[in-house]
Amino acid sequence: MPESWANLGIDLLIEPAGRHRRAGLERGLRDAIQSGRLRPGTPLPPSRTLARDLGVARNTVAQAYAQLVAEGWLAARRGSGTRVADRVLAPAATEEAADAAARIRHDLRPGRPDVSMFPRAAWIGAARRALAKAPDQALVYGDPRGPHELRRALADYLGRVRGVRTTPDRIVVCSGFVQALGLVCRVQRGRGARRIGVEAFGLPHHRGVAAACGLAVTPLPVDAGGAVLAGLADADVALLTPAHQFPLGVPLAPERRRLAVEWAAATDGLIVEDDYDGEFRYDRQAVGAMQALAPERVVYAGTASKSLAPGLRLGWLAAPAHLVADLTEAKRLADAGTGVLDALALAELLTSGIYDRHVRRCRLVYQRRRERLVAILRREVPEARIGGVAAGLHVLVELPECVSEADVIERAARNGLAVEGLDAYRFGAVAAHRPALVVGYATPPEHDFTTAVARLCAAIGAAG
Amino acid sequence: MPESWANLGIDLLIEPAGRHRRAGLERGLRDAIQSGRLRPGTPLPPSRTLARDLGVARNTVAQAYAQLVAEGWLAARRGSGTRVADRVLAPAATEEAADAAARIRHDLRPGRPDVSMFPRAAWIGAARRALAKAPDQALVYGDPRGPHELRRALADYLGRVRGVRTTPDRIVVCSGFVQALGLVCRVQRGRGARRIGVEAFGLPHHRGVAAACGLAVTPLPVDAGGAVLAGLADADVALLTPAHQFPLGVPLAPERRRLAVEWAAATDGLIVEDDYDGEFRYDRQAVGAMQALAPERVVYAGTASKSLAPGLRLGWLAAPAHLVADLTEAKRLADAGTGVLDALALAELLTSGIYDRHVRRCRLVYQRRRERLVAILRREVPEARIGGVAAGLHVLVELPECVSEADVIERAARNGLAVEGLDAYRFGAVAAHRPALVVGYATPPEHDFTTAVARLCAAIGAAG
């Protein structure tokens, strides 16, 4: 084996030769990163060098690198080549990883609600009532879009709370936003789409989903007005977080909402509106869903992962009429529908008003937490700057001059606090930002919140 | 528009031109069949003619036809060209279809359990107990393979009841068998597989799933010994129903089980064992899973759809060690995991012994029904022949000479009885069989069983 390749510690000889080398190379690199043989930050050889060593086309290596950058395993910076990403966000796939998770005593990572507020009794009650009134027929293979009860309840709720313009027949209940995104990408790929524009700060998991559906993934710069849409020029699909950019926390500026819709109309493009936390705005009435501007150009996507619990794996799409048949067929081929018992329980929660009350209660808790967090940070580490609007479950904390994300994260970890840096969400060379933490203030249970925040301040202050 | 194409009643002008014509053509044909513009049995123009009319390559049309044959929309017979399939099995995707379903008063279609036996109270009880003891951490994003509690319970159960050789870390909990099959197909496609061999009688839905993952689908003839494996010569994956061929009802002969495993070992092939009803055998101890012969060559796939209810959308894989990482990643990209509440409830049912008792109760009910059905058929329509072994939830009823499936189905429908013909499951020119019905004796609730069987006999007898 040539030396430069041997240095990566990867054995490509086990892969089948010929046309599947790209997939084999991707798998080999992924395994090596997951297993720790390739450490975070390790530089990879230039694609030309590696291609020569392996005896494959340079394009094969370049494509494999691009795929792994999209998935978040690798990071590419202009002028400094390709490296293993500093922190890989793939969720714990092994029991060792679960053990590592158990060593975390305080958790301020974003993307999770306070699941200690999950209304266990109300959920079981709703499930019991829903099952009691469901006819036997509800338990067999049904509409791949999900039971009509839930689609009707969602159409009402989304119209009322988020201003979504839809009807029950345009709703597709999915196994979380991840599946919803995959269905849209697969359908659009089948209709000829080649490229999806995603915000240059965002979840690597979502980029991986789009890439796995065969779409090339292009970063859109993000500034104080949200995604910069000029980058959409050669895209067919755009994935946006208009209400509350994740993770920077800014809403998409009104003129950009209009621009996005105009782009879609002019180019026959499609926008996926990821409304992951649209129910949580604290300083004013929430901005309505962008979907209402152009229901035939925007797929609205929502989730119960933030309002109830990610483990439910319940999400939903409100789709343009012309996509419903294809999305239904894609869902049928993916899994023939999401589990009907959870769907009926959620419908019961929605129609009984319990869901609204739960969301209001969470909103109050998260608003107070946000205010406490911001007040304490301003007092304890006044050099840090708070970014984004008062909304959602996370806040961007820009670090003081000369403080690195990695130092703060490491110091926090030594004190049992898990926290994430902005760099973990960065995608592509257009993404540039002052070092920052993405602090999820919803994650810790109430009794632990004060301690977690104190350790956060210590980690930031002491690292300075 | 050229006349032959206009006759199909499809407007291809709305489709984008160029390289996506194949997808557009497939969608146009699918829509036309779904909407009823193309009636069952309608002959399609030869691919050469249609290609000329549309100004596309003949191969484009041929590939679109092949895809739709695999999905069950079209049927191809040697010497008689391509036609719209006689009966399209796609489940009700619209509310009109649901209305049509409501007009069925008696249902002897296969593939469903008697959901009136679904243990509603026991399920809610198990869900409540499982949720009460689950830590908060169980409600956030977890292992894409599913909660460890369920994987351990399944590994124990499958080992004990089906002889499956596996461990919890090799189990992947899926959203039904449909998703399980899709994950395996996608992973194998990514590893270079091109072609899957499927039994020439089987579910069109499953063929559609494999085709949607990019695999070419080849029919394997089925005879009294089950699938004929010679057809596997140029396949990379084989999908088999070894315990109880669906729908013919025969088990895979012992020497063919061995042959299949040898094929996989010799060619680096992979077998997917669809053990959809392996818990239900009435005349003897159930034959163990084929997976035990070669756990590194066989993916065992099971489901709660027959033992509990299809609407749960719960299935599972027991995978070879070398596929676990790829399947976990595919599951993460598909939906990040199946809903955890149902998974924990099922684990509770399994470990408490309630699941075993429920299956035993169902087994007795189905065994008695099968015996009654067979006895009544032998008495009322002695010319009909019963095929397959005493197992599962369906029986093959070979029709008397000169009785056509379509006549029986139509006569039954006029009496409010839904029943299916073998032809609906046929795939490819290698499939030849005497006309028969595939009678699902588990579907009707107990109080309706006698009436349903009486109408069945009347439909067969009167059609003669």
Side-chain angles (χ1 to χ4, degrees):
Chain A
M1 204 183 312
E3 197 180 20
S4 73
W5 184 236
N7 284 346
L8 289 178
I10 297 173
D11 183 4
L12 204 79
L13 298 178
I14 59 167
E15 300 302 338
R19 68 181 161 232
H20 303 299
R21 290 227 113 156
R22 178 186 150 191
L25 177 56
E26 285 173 23
R27 199 162 54 246
L29 286 167
R30 228 184 264 116
D31 287 350
I33 297 168
Q34 255 176 329
S35 68
R37 274 177 292 141
L38 276 175
R39 310 286 308 164
T42 307
L44 267 69
S47 55
R48 185 190 305 274
T49 311
L50 184 53
R52 195 191 52 223
D53 290 352
L54 295 174
V56 299
R58 185 181 170 189
N59 207 30
T60 302
V61 177
Q63 285 176 353
Y65 280 8
Q67 171 76 22
L68 294 170
V69 167
E71 292 178 11
W73 299 101
L74 301 180
R77 296 288 156 68
R78 217 192 295 273
S80 73
T82 303
R83 295 166 175 271
V84 177
D86 283 343
R87 172 117 201 291
V88 171
L89 281 180
T94 64
E95 273 131 51
E96 297 84 55
D99 288 347
R103 283 196 295 275
I104 297 171
R105 275 165 295 147
H106 314 284
D107 196 343
L108 286 172
R109 288 176 296 178
R112 297 156 209 216
D114 178 357
V115 285
S116 76
M117 287 201 286
F118 180 76
R120 296 184 182 216
W123 180 271
I124 289 289
R128 188 196 307 108
R129 287 195 304 281
L131 191 52
K133 67 185 173 196
D136 286 340
Q137 205 54 32
L139 300 176
V140 297
Y141 300 98
D143 191 315
R145 293 172 298 181
H148 188 262
E149 292 89 333
L150 178 55
R151 288 185 285 118
R152 195 178 47 217
L154 283 170
D156 290 350
Y157 176 80
L158 296 174
R160 179 164 58 79
V161 172
R162 303 294 300 128
V164 174
R165 287 160 59 192
T166 190
T167 50
D169 57 300
R170 297 190 183 192
I171 302 272
V172 182
V173 178
C174 296
S175 187
F177 174 75
V178 167
Q179 185 184 48
L181 176 62
L183 295 179
V184 175
C185 289
R186 197 157 296 128
V187 164
Q188 290 305 100
R189 185 74 192 84
R191 289 173 166 234
R194 313 288 287 180
R195 185 172 292 277
I196 185 170
V198 305
E199 294 161 339
F201 290 93
L203 285 172
H205 192 178
H206 296 172
R207 303 194 290 263
V209 168
C213 295
L215 293 176
V217 185
T218 300
L220 307 173
V222 187
D223 63 20
V228 178
L229 302 169
L232 282 178
D234 60 347
D236 308 291
V237 185
L239 171 60
L240 301 173
T241 50
H244 191 218
Q245 205 281 328
F246 188 85
L248 298 185
V250 295
L252 190 63
E255 67 276 16
R256 293 204 188 156
R257 291 162 71 104
R258 215 181 43 244
L259 267 176
V261 166
E262 283 169 11
W263 161 80
T267 64
D268 200 22
L270 184 75
I271 296 165
V272 181
E273 178 173 22
D274 177 6
D275 196 42
Y276 64 104
D277 67 358
E279 285 142 326
F280 299 111
R281 179 87 193 233
Y282 313 123
D283 56 340
R284 49 161 285 172
Q285 176 81 23
V287 179
M290 191 167 95
Q291 183 264 5
L293 293 180
E296 293 305 318
R297 294 292 171 193
V298 179
V299 179
Y300 173 91
T303 175
S305 291
K306 306 296 178 281
S307 55
L308 287 168
L312 281 178
R313 309 306 309 124
L314 280 174
W316 43 83
L317 294 173
H322 68 282
L323 285 181
V324 171
D326 280 10
L327 286 169
T328 305
E329 177 65 7
K331 176 69 177 160
R332 192 178 78 88
L333 290 172
D335 61 11
T338 291
V340 77
L341 298 190
D342 285 344
L344 292 175
L346 179 60
E348 178 73 20
L349 280 189
L350 283 164
T351 52
S352 64
I354 296 175
Y355 186 84
D356 281 72
R357 285 199 296 279
H358 174 70
V359 168
R360 275 201 298 276
R361 180 177 157 235
C362 294
R363 196 185 292 130
L364 272 177
V365 169
Y366 296 148
Q367 176 174 13
R368 269 192 237 117
R369 283 197 193 179
R370 185 185 167 93
E371 288 165 359
R372 275 164 67 197
L373 171 67
V374 170
I376 296 171
L377 281 169
R378 289 212 168 117
R379 191 180 65 221
E380 300 294 326
V381 274
E383 326 83 83
R385 232 200 78 204
I386 308 299
V389 295
L393 313 182
H394 75 276
V395 71
L396 189 78
V397 179
E398 298 185 358
L399 294 175
E401 296 289 336
C402 310
V403 175
S404 87
E405 292 178 17
D407 287 349
V408 177
I409 292 166
E410 200 196 317
R411 192 175 299 266
R414 281 205 300 271
N415 275 311
L417 171 70
V419 67
E420 273 175 4
L422 180 58
D423 203 57
Y425 298 94
R426 191 192 299 267
F427 172 48
V430 298
H433 203 282
R434 179 173 160 174
L437 301 180
V438 185
V439 176
Y441 46 82
T443 312
E446 191 62 32
H447 65 83
D448 186 49
F449 187 66
T450 308
T451 315
V453 172
R455 302 213 169 180
L456 174 69
C457 292
I460 299 174
Chain B
M1 200 183 312
E3 195 180 24
S4 73
W5 183 238
N7 285 345
L8 289 178
I10 297 172
D11 182 4
L12 204 79
L13 299 177
I14 59 166
E15 300 301 339
R19 68 181 161 231
H20 303 298
R21 291 226 111 157
R22 178 186 149 190
L25 177 57
E26 286 173 20
R27 199 163 54 246
L29 286 166
R30 229 184 264 118
D31 287 350
I33 297 167
Q34 257 177 327
S35 68
R37 275 177 291 140
L38 277 176
R39 311 284 310 163
T42 306
L44 266 68
S47 55
R48 183 190 305 275
T49 310
L50 183 54
R52 194 190 53 222
D53 291 351
L54 296 175
V56 300
R58 184 181 172 188
N59 207 29
T60 303
V61 177
Q63 285 176 354
Y65 280 8
Q67 170 75 22
L68 294 170
V69 167
E71 293 179 12
W73 300 100
L74 301 179
R77 296 288 155 66
R78 218 194 294 275
S80 72
T82 303
R83 294 167 175 271
V84 177
D86 283 342
R87 173 118 198 289
V88 171
L89 281 182
T94 65
E95 274 130 49
E96 298 84 54
D99 287 349
R103 282 196 295 276
I104 297 171
R105 274 164 295 146
H106 314 284
D107 196 343
L108 285 172
R109 288 176 296 180
R112 298 156 209 215
D114 178 356
V115 284
S116 76
M117 287 200 287
F118 180 75
R120 296 183 182 217
W123 179 271
I124 289 290
R128 190 196 307 108
R129 286 195 304 280
L131 191 52
K133 68 184 171 197
D136 285 340
Q137 207 51 34
L139 300 176
V140 297
Y141 299 99
D143 192 315
R145 294 172 299 182
H148 188 260
E149 292 89 333
L150 178 55
R151 290 185 284 116
R152 194 179 49 217
L154 282 170
D156 290 351
Y157 177 80
L158 297 173
R160 178 162 59 79
V161 171
R162 304 293 301 127
V164 174
R165 286 161 57 192
T166 191
T167 51
D169 58 299
R170 297 190 183 192
I171 302 271
V172 182
V173 178
C174 296
S175 185
F177 174 75
V178 167
Q179 186 184 49
L181 175 62
L183 295 179
V184 175
C185 288
R186 198 157 296 129
V187 164
Q188 291 303 99
R189 185 71 191 83
R191 289 174 165 234
R194 314 288 287 182
R195 186 173 291 278
I196 185 170
V198 304
E199 294 162 340
F201 290 94
L203 284 173
H205 193 177
H206 295 173
R207 303 194 289 263
V209 168
C213 295
L215 294 176
V217 185
T218 302
L220 307 173
V222 186
D223 63 19
V228 178
L229 302 169
L232 282 178
D234 58 349
D236 309 291
V237 185
L239 171 60
L240 301 173
T241 50
H244 190 219
Q245 205 280 330
F246 188 84
L248 299 184
V250 296
L252 191 63
E255 69 276 16
R256 293 204 189 157
R257 290 162 70 103
R258 214 182 42 246
L259 268 176
V261 166
E262 284 169 10
W263 160 80
T267 65
D268 199 23
L270 183 75
I271 297 166
V272 182
E273 177 172 24
D274 177 7
D275 196 42
Y276 65 104
D277 67 358
E279 285 142 325
F280 298 111
R281 179 89 192 230
Y282 313 123
D283 56 342
R284 49 161 286 172
Q285 177 83 22
V287 179
M290 192 167 97
Q291 183 264 5
L293 291 180
E296 292 306 318
R297 295 291 171 193
V298 180
V299 180
Y300 173 91
T303 176
S305 292
K306 307 295 179 282
S307 55
L308 287 167
L312 282 178
R313 310 305 309 123
L314 279 173
W316 42 84
L317 295 174
H322 69 280
L323 285 181
V324 171
D326 280 10
L327 285 170
T328 305
E329 176 65 6
K331 176 69 177 160
R332 192 179 76 88
L333 291 172
D335 61 13
T338 292
V340 77
L341 298 190
D342 284 347
L344 292 175
L346 179 59
E348 177 73 21
L349 280 188
L350 282 163
T351 52
S352 63
I354 296 175
Y355 186 84
D356 281 73
R357 284 200 296 279
H358 174 70
V359 167
R360 275 201 299 277
R361 180 177 157 234
C362 293
R363 195 185 293 127
L364 272 178
V365 169
Y366 295 148
Q367 176 173 14
R368 270 192 235 118
R369 283 196 193 181
R370 186 187 165 93
E371 288 165 358
R372 275 163 69 196
L373 171 66
V374 169
I376 296 171
L377 281 169
R378 289 212 168 115
R379 191 178 66 220
E380 301 293 327
V381 273
E383 325 83 82
R385 232 200 78 206
I386 308 299
V389 295
L393 314 182
H394 75 276
V395 70
L396 189 78
V397 179
E398 297 184 357
L399 294 175
E401 296 288 335
C402 311
V403 175
S404 88
E405 291 178 18
D407 286 351
V408 175
I409 291 167
E410 199 195 318
R411 194 176 299 267
R414 282 205 300 271
N415 276 310
L417 171 69
V419 68
E420 272 175 4
L422 179 58
D423 202 57
Y425 298 94
R426 191 192 298 267
F427 172 48
V430 299
H433 203 281
R434 177 172 160 176
L437 300 180
V438 185
V439 176
Y441 46 81
T443 311
E446 191 64 30
H447 65 83
D448 185 50
F449 187 66
T450 308
T451 315
V453 172
R455 302 212 171 182
L456 174 68
C457 292
I460 300 174

